[in-house]
DNA sequence: AAGACCATCAACCGCCGGAGT
DNA sequence: CACTCCGGCGGTTGATGGTCT
């Protein structure tokens, strides 16, 4: 019944770490043909893996546009805030961190941020005991307030859909432009942010998000994959990304914000965090 | 130097929902 | 409607490398 059991025709699947040869086979195959049905990928690519393993390897390691290396301060804060709001919805959180995979974020959470949260809660407990009667100032730096947000929750955090749309995020697109498959460079996110804050790409981040959509969510069996990886031009990017504007907006508020919004564009007044 | 312990990260596992038959 | 497959997700495990004793 149902589908043809592609994988049942195979012998044992290989497990464990991927070799460079396997990576090359998978990468070359997908860049050339797209993944299509994942269960057929290993067969067609000549790999002794199952489709699931190939999919995971592609998404978490081989996919173009992945950002490797340490998480930036802002990424950390974004994760903290989003985790407080969304819980362990790693895939949703990863949508707001361009170039980061859910697996990466999940690992980072378990290895570092979880402890940091615990520590900050402890410190806050002690701090509250000592300074219970002291009043708070009207302003605070973003990392402190964000930490407070993550600790206490978004109760007073103005997060209307409109607010999110009107103050459009600024990170994704520039980061994507700086990626090696576009210009061969390796620009860190801080540099991207400098450019963004200077107004280079103040258009909006929906376009930026769309860029990521282009790379990660359009099935690679489609027509986009070659352009994403090799010969994409800026006008092409805009044209293709514009298709996603409505879709992204319709997806609701969560899809309209990014970590930059969460971390930078708010202030605290009378104990309430308001979005700038 | 060597073993124990710890942190990190890649990968696997099991479950679930959607969709085709 | 039942069955099956597939993709996606979150939890967990295992390998590896670094640090400590």
């Amino acid at each position: 019944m149902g589908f043809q059991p592609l994988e049942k025709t195979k012998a044992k699947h290989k497990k464990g770490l991927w070799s460079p040869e396997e990576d090359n086979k998978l990468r070359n195959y997908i860049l050339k043909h797209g993944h299509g049905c994942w269960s057929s990928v290993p067969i067609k690519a000549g790999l002794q893996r199952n489709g699931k393993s190939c999919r995971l390897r592609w998404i978490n390691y081989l996919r173009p546009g992945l950002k490797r290396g340490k998480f930036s301060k802002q990424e950390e804060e974004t994760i903290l805030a989003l985790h407080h709001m969304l819980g362990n919805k790693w895939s949703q959180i990863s949508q707001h961190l361009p170039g980061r995979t859910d697996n990466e974020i999940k690992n980072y959470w378990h290895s570092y941020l979880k402890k940091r949260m615990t520590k900050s809660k402890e410190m806050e407990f002690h701090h509250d005991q000592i300074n219970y009667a002291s009043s708070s100032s009207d302003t605070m730096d973003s990392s402190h307030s964000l930490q407070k947000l993550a600790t206490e929750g978004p109760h007073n955090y103005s997060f209307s859909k409109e607010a999110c749309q009107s103050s459009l995020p600024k990170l994704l697109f520039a980061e994507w432009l700086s990626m090696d498959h576009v210009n061969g460079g390796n620009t860190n996110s801080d540099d991207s942010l400098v450019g963004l804050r200077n107004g280079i790409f103040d258009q909006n981040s929906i376009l930026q998000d769309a860029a990521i959509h282009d790379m990660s969510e359009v099935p690679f069996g489609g027509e986009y994959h070659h352009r994403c990886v090799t010969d994409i031009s800026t006008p092409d990017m805009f044209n293709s990304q514009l298709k996603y504007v409505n879709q992204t907006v319709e997806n609701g508020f969560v899809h309209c914000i990014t970590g930059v919004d969460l971390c930078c564009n708010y202030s605290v007044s009378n104990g309430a965090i308001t979005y700038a």
Side-chain angles (χ1 to χ4, degrees):
Chain A
M1 277 228 210
F3 297 85
Q4 296 205 340
L6 285 164
E7 291 184 61
K8 284 181 182 173
T9 60
K10 288 188 63 181
K12 246 189 162 184
H13 295 125
K14 193 184 170 192
K15 290 185 182 178
L17 294 177
W18 281 66
S19 67
E21 294 78 39
E22 287 177 306
D23 281 344
N24 277 333
K25 278 185 181 178
L26 182 61
R27 185 190 294 111
N28 291 337
Y29 176 81
I30 293 181
L31 291 181
K32 210 167 183 181
H33 303 98
H35 62 68
C37 174
W38 279 111
S39 58
S40 67
V41 165
I43 301 168
K44 293 175 181 171
L47 292 163
Q48 303 268 311
R49 302 271 178 171
N50 63 28
K52 239 179 172 178
S53 183
C54 292
R55 175 185 162 270
L56 218 62
R57 185 64 179 170
W58 173 257
I59 288 173
N60 290 333
Y61 199 81
L62 298 174
R63 175 163 56 103
L66 286 179
K67 202 192 290 178
R68 314 298 300 177
K70 287 194 73 174
F71 281 73
S72 70
K73 197 82 187 160
Q74 290 196 335
E75 283 176 316
E76 281 183 21
E77 303 297 351
T78 303
I79 294 169
L80 283 172
L82 287 172
H83 183 268
H84 189 89
M85 289 186 285
L86 301 170
N88 295 351
K89 301 291 181 186
W90 306 117
S91 63
Q92 286 183 37
I93 293 172
S94 69
Q95 286 173 16
H96 301 286
L97 291 159
R100 301 294 187 184
T101 68
D102 53 353
N103 204 35
E104 203 177 0
I105 294 169
K106 182 171 57 180
N107 282 333
Y108 191 63
W109 172 264
H110 284 125
S111 63
Y112 176 64
L113 292 180
K114 206 173 169 181
K115 291 167 196 166
R116 189 181 138 182
M117 280 291 290
T118 309
K119 208 174 178 180
S120 74
K121 277 182 180 173
E122 284 172 8
M123 286 178 69
E124 192 173 325
F125 177 73
H126 292 305
H127 185 266
D128 285 350
Q129 283 189 324
I130 295 165
N131 296 321
Y132 180 71
S134 69
S135 60
S136 60
S137 66
D138 278 352
T139 57
M140 59 171 87
D141 67 90
S142 67
S143 68
H144 183 200
S145 56
L146 213 291
Q147 194 169 21
K148 201 168 168 59
L149 167 69
T151 307
E152 294 178 356
H155 315 300
N156 296 323
Y157 196 22
S158 171
F159 246 153
S160 69
K161 189 174 179 176
E162 291 72 21
C164 294
Q165 287 176 16
S166 63
S167 180
L168 292 160
K170 309 160 189 68
L171 179 60
L172 301 181
F173 193 54
E175 279 192 340
W176 186 64
L177 278 177
S178 73
M179 286 166 190
D180 55 350
H181 62 280
V182 175
N183 60 10
N186 207 5
T187 309
N188 67 35
S189 60
D190 291 342
D191 290 340
S192 302
L193 283 172
V194 170
L196 290 163
R197 284 178 178 136
N198 288 338
I200 294 170
F201 286 105
D202 60 351
Q203 246 309 306
N204 66 52
S205 74
I206 291 171
L207 291 181
Q208 297 163 18
D209 257 332
I212 302 303
H213 276 279
D214 234 359
M215 311 220 335
S216 62
E217 293 189 11
V218 172
F220 258 65
E223 61 180 339
Y224 295 107
H225 65 275
H226 280 132
R227 295 196 305 170
C228 292
V229 175
T230 55
D231 58 351
I232 190 163
S233 66
T234 304
D236 280 350
M237 283 190 289
F238 278 103
N239 288 336
S240 62
Q241 287 146 17
L242 282 169
K243 288 186 286 192
Y244 292 98
V245 171
N246 289 334
Q247 177 192 337
T248 309
V249 171
E250 283 165 9
N251 278 346
F253 122 80
V254 166
H255 291 260
C256 299
I257 60 173
T258 73
V260 177
D261 291 291
L262 285 170
C263 295
C264 297
N265 299 336
Y266 63 90
S267 60
V268 177
S269 178
N270 296 328
I273 305 171
T274 50
Y275 196 81

